[in-house]
Amino acid sequence: DAGVTQSPTHLIKTRGQQVTLRCSPKSGHDTVSWYQQALGQGPQFIFQYYEEEERQRGNFPDRFSGHQFPNYSSELNVNALLLGDSALYLCASSSGQGNEKLFFGSGTQLSVL
Amino acid sequence: AQKVTQAQTEISVVEKEDVTLDCVYETRDTTYYLFWYKQPPSGELVFLIRRNSFDEQNEISGRYSWNFQKSTSSFNFTITASQVVDSAVYFCALSEWNGGYNKLIFGAGTRLAVHP
């Protein structure tokens, strides 16, 4: 049973570029959340997708957008990259509503030069 | 506002020592959940425990134990007889009941180094 998978593992971009990160949830899970983890800090909630809709969002600018597909996989898009967007981006999946435990992927390490 | 504070940035112990990781939280809600996650060098966050605000029973799982005290808004984590494999960053997190949306608010983490 595959867990949460994320791609790519590492990514290097330059300021102003756009990036797309991908996530496949754990089998049986229908909810995907994205978190940003800056170096030496705890993860920060970006947004959550359920039934192909964004249902909750953290304090992130509109440059951060996402999408969920019918197979529950998800993408995180970041436009007009800034140096400060350099971080580990973690995807987490869970089943439906409620405060069930989240299963996390190993993340995508994004470096913006 | 919700907040999680992990005051210990780094802890270094020798194998077989007991170690306690502190977690203090702030919330106005009466219904909430508390979590501990472990982050090894691979980067993946590994779930350790979830407690709801109505269950103040302490829990033990093998060498791990958790002490939840609502009176002091603390949810501390103890590792007994630590091992090198316990070396990781540990995060405490809070989730409020807001219609079923499980958004986690994480502390800054405590880096634990267990030396042989």
Side-chain angles (χ1 to χ4, degrees), chain B residues 7 15 20 34 38 43 51-52 59 71 74-76 78 81 102 110-111 114:
Chain B
E15 216 172 9
T20 295
L34 294 165
K38 173 182 180 180
R51 305 297 281 178
N52 72 53
E59 180 155 339
S71 59
S74 65
F75 186 43
N76 296 337
T78 298
N102 47 2
T110 298
R111 180 177 299 277
V114 182

Side-chain angles (χ1 to χ4, degrees), chain A residues 21 23 25 29-35 45-58 60-78 90-98 102, chain B residues 100-103:
Chain A
L21 311 182
C23 172
H29 286 182
D30 55 11
T31 302
V32 173
S33 303
W34 287 91
Y35 287 80
F45 177 78
I46 303 175
F47 43 52
Q48 184 179 84
Y49 277 85
Y50 174 70
E51 292 187 343
E52 301 180 51
E53 288 192 2
E54 180 186 297
R55 68 176 184 181
Q56 196 177 19
R57 189 179 183 92
F60 280 81
D62 292 344
R63 298 186 297 108
F64 289 77
S65 63
H67 188 77
Q68 186 178 35
F69 299 93
N71 67 352
Y72 308 121
S73 67
S74 176
E75 287 183 350
L76 164 65
N77 301 293
V78 187
L90 294 163
C91 171
S93 73
S94 57
S95 179
Q97 298 185 11
L102 300 181
Chain B
Y101 304 154
N102 47 2
K103 159 190 169 182

Side-chain angles (χ1 to χ4, degrees), chain B residues 33-84:
Chain B
Y33 292 79
L34 294 165
F35 300 77
W36 275 94
Y37 279 85
K38 173 182 180 180
Q39 187 175 43
S42 62
E44 177 181 344
L45 284 162
V46 178
F47 170 85
L48 296 178
I49 189 172
R50 179 189 68 161
R51 305 297 281 178
N52 72 53
S53 51
F54 297 109
D55 184 1
E56 284 194 74
Q57 260 192 332
N58 292 330
E59 180 155 339
I60 298 175
S61 176
R63 297 183 298 107
Y64 295 169
S65 63
W66 291 269
N67 183 294
F68 176 27
Q69 292 195 340
K70 284 180 77 170
S71 59
T72 55
S73 297
S74 65
F75 186 43
N76 296 337
F77 172 32
T78 298
I79 302 175
T80 302
S82 59
Q83 300 176 1
V84 173

Side-chain angles (χ1 to χ4, degrees), chain B residues 76-95:
Chain B
N76 296 337
F77 172 32
T78 298
I79 302 175
T80 302
S82 59
Q83 300 176 1
V84 173
V85 294
D86 296 327
S87 297
V89 181
Y90 290 85
F91 291 98
C92 179
L94 166 71
S95 175

